[in-house]
Amino acid sequence: MRIANQGVFSDFMACAIYTAAFCTPLYAQQAPSPSPAPSPSQASATAAATNPDAKEVKKVAEQPKPPEPRFKLYGWIEGGLMGNPNPSIDNHNFGQLFTDRANEPLLNQLVITGERALDPNATGFDWGFKVQFMYGSDARYIHSLGLLDDTTDQRVQPDFPEVYASAHIPIPATGGLDLKVGKFVTLEGAETIDPRTNVFYSHTYIFNFGIPFNNTGFQSVLHVNKYLDLYAGINRGVNISLADNNASIAFEGGFGLNLLDGNLTTLAITHAGPEDPGNNHDYRYLNDITTTWKVNKCFTSITDMNLIYDSIAGGKWGGGVAQYFTYAVNDWLQVGLRGEIWRDAEGFYVAQFRANNDFLHIALQGRHVPFDPSNLGGGNTTYLGITGGVTIKPPVPKPLAGLLIRPEIRYDRALTNTTPFKGGQNGDQWLMGFDVILEF
């Protein structure tokens, strides 16, 4: 009996020890069931109970931002200086139009624009317009015949670079058709009249002598799909608007490719029609292909290929290629390099004009102006141009937030046995300059 009681006691103690050692800690490690989270009103009530000064927290709904107005009024002012350490006696930089004055400051452009641009995402009908007024020295070379072209003979002149109405017409299975009617800038070239889109202050031979500046008529672009655009239009001729120098029309059209999600684009455009004053049978063909490749967010390559041919007097042709490289160092500094070779096979295109309206009178109107030794051509010459510079956008507050400063150094050389620079005396030319652009 005693032995039996000892066995029962031993079993009881073993069970107690097992329970104490294993069961009790297991329950002690279990977390208590979470209580429901208090509602916002309960939280406010609790805060008020614990802190009488606490105020009820209210959720503030964000107001939606109003859409940007479709009509915009904007502009810019550009001024600069192109230094020439070895200028001609008449202070000209040969081969330059917009930066033609050596060591003299220029008010290139004061521009005001009113615009209702087409919605690039429009799926239905849309309309727009643009009216742009310019006052500056650049206007001497972008006048179109019949529109403020002989208003003044001063260096700073008025002009309307663009005045047009536009519309987007939806077409099933395409991105729609965009139309312009009026006066507008050409589609050709890597550089534009608008200085804000250019890499440098000075321009290429292609821009100065190988493409139109503006057209007056109508222009269309069919967005076939996200990769292909087709361009076509009829106009009155190169830099012709309300008056015509040969009573003929011209065609401008081509195609555009948009690849790599827009990081690689090509625009191939031709302009064809009679362009010589008083001559409506000899055609001029201005052809340009511009390819822009945004390699990454900092580095961009632009290639501009150009060919121009005029059938007058047995044929006059010119053309070449310009290559640009730009690198954005940061938000306020971009470095640029440009190289160009352009051939003027007959000395027909590249020229220098002394008086402020000589380009208009000679090249467009075909007037016989009195002889001036400063009005000269470069002859049968192949031109090399190399330009390096930077674009500085200082981090400054308004109203100077749109400030751009672009210093550059440029070297031009005749690769043939000719001397077009310094009034026909030198075979090369160094230029050092800068411009300042303020947007508003």
Side-chain angles (χ1 to χ4, degrees):
M1 184 69 178
R2 186 176 182 181
I3 297 174
N5 288 340
Q6 286 179 348
V8 172
F9 180 80
S10 300
D11 292 342
F12 174 80
M13 291 302 294
C15 181
I17 293 171
Y18 179 87
T19 302
F22 295 97
C23 298
T24 302
L26 179 63
Y27 288 110
Q29 291 174 8
Q30 287 182 346
S33 300
S35 58
S39 66
S41 59
Q42 290 173 332
S44 299
T46 303
T50 57
N51 182 7
D53 295 331
K55 297 181 180 180
E56 183 177 356
V57 179
K58 295 183 179 180
K59 186 177 181 181
V60 179
E62 293 185 2
Q63 297 296 325
K65 294 182 179 180
E68 288 192 15
R70 293 291 301 277
F71 174 75
K72 293 184 178 181
L73 186 65
Y74 61 94
W76 61 86
I77 182 170
E78 179 199 20
L81 184 146
M82 189 58 70
N84 188 332
N86 193 20
S88 61
I89 193 172
D90 51 16
N91 272 19
H92 269 86
N93 298 318
F94 182 82
Q96 303 291 300
L97 296 183
F98 301 86
T99 52
D100 58 343
R101 302 303 303 172
N103 309 318
E104 297 179 20
L106 292 173
L107 172 60
N108 293 94
Q109 300 183 14
L110 171 59
V111 172
I112 299 176
T113 305
E115 179 180 20
R116 187 184 194 272
L118 294 178
D119 183 354
N121 301 314
T123 57
F125 175 81
D126 193 21
W127 62 274
F129 65 88
K130 185 175 184 179
V131 178
Q132 186 174 82
F133 174 77
M134 175 192 292
Y135 184 71
S137 60
D138 286 2
R140 296 171 297 158
Y141 295 108
I142 66 168
H143 281 306
S144 58
L145 288 187
L147 184 63
L148 301 183
D149 49 6
D150 268 313
T151 305
T152 177
D153 61 0
Q154 300 300 307
R155 184 172 300 168
V156 177
Q157 302 186 5
D159 192 52
F160 284 95
E162 295 193 283
V163 181
Y164 66 77
S166 57
H168 175 81
I169 301 173
I171 298 178
T174 73
L177 180 70
D178 293 342
L179 298 174
K180 286 182 182 179
V181 178
K183 182 188 176 187
F184 37 82
V185 297
T186 180
L187 296 166
E188 296 192 21
E191 298 179 1
T192 68
I193 295 172
D194 183 347
R196 303 172 303 163
T197 69
N198 298 325
V199 180
F200 299 102
Y201 177 37
S202 67
H203 287 286
T204 59
Y205 292 91
I206 291 176
F207 180 81
N208 284 321
F209 306 106
I211 64 173
F213 291 135
N214 54 71
N215 302 316
T216 299
F218 84 87
Q219 182 186 95
S220 67
V221 51
L222 175 63
H223 304 289
V224 179
N225 51 47
K226 68 177 183 178
Y227 304 108
L228 177 64
D229 296 322
L230 298 179
Y231 296 83
I234 300 296
N235 57 75
R236 303 196 68 182
V238 172
N239 306 335
I240 305 296
S241 60
L242 302 183
D244 201 339
N245 58 7
N246 56 25
S248 299
I249 62 173
F251 167 84
E252 183 170 272
F255 66 90
L257 298 176
N258 307 287
L259 308 173
L260 302 180
D261 294 327
N263 290 319
L264 178 62
T265 63
T266 294
L267 184 60
I269 301 294
T270 186
H271 189 289
E275 302 298 343
D276 298 299
N279 183 332
N280 61 5
H281 56 274
D282 285 311
Y283 273 59
R284 185 178 301 174
Y285 304 89
L286 303 98
N287 310 282
D288 196 89
I289 302 175
T290 302
T291 299
T292 302
W293 180 23
K294 188 171 180 59
V295 182
N296 54 46
K297 66 178 183 179
C298 298
F299 182 58
T300 301
S301 168
I302 305 172
T303 305
D304 191 6
M305 296 183 291
N306 179 258
L307 178 64
I308 177 173
Y309 176 80
D310 196 309
S311 60
I312 192 172
K316 311 290 183 181
W317 73 273
V321 60
Q323 176 64 50
Y324 308 71
F325 295 112
T326 66
Y327 186 83
V329 179
N330 49 43
D331 292 339
W332 59 269
L333 179 62
Q334 175 182 277
V335 179
L337 178 66
R338 178 183 65 199
E340 180 187 22
I341 293 179
W342 206 80
R343 171 77 172 152
D344 187 0
E346 303 291 334
F348 184 71
Y349 299 103
V350 181
Q352 172 180 294
F353 303 92
R354 184 196 65 82
N356 293 319
N357 288 339
D358 276 353
F359 177 83
L360 169 73
H361 294 161
I362 298 172
L364 294 183
Q365 296 176 342
R367 291 189 191 179
H368 293 287
V369 300
F371 172 77
D372 192 315
S374 293
N375 290 334
L376 54 89
N380 187 339
T381 300
T382 300
Y383 298 91
L384 169 69
I386 300 175
T387 308
V390 298
T391 298
I392 304 169
K393 187 175 182 179
V396 293
K398 292 183 178 180
L400 301 178
L403 181 65
L404 297 175
I405 304 172
R406 301 188 299 186
E408 70 172 68
I409 298 177
R410 174 173 178 145
Y411 177 70
D412 289 79
R413 184 176 184 85
L415 299 181
T416 46
N417 189 25
T418 52
T419 57
F421 305 104
K422 196 182 178 181
Q425 300 180 44
N426 287 1
D428 64 354
Q429 171 179 264
W430 282 95
L431 300 175
M432 292 161 285
F434 72 96
D435 70 334
V436 177
I437 304 170
L438 179 61
E439 301 178 66
F440 55 86

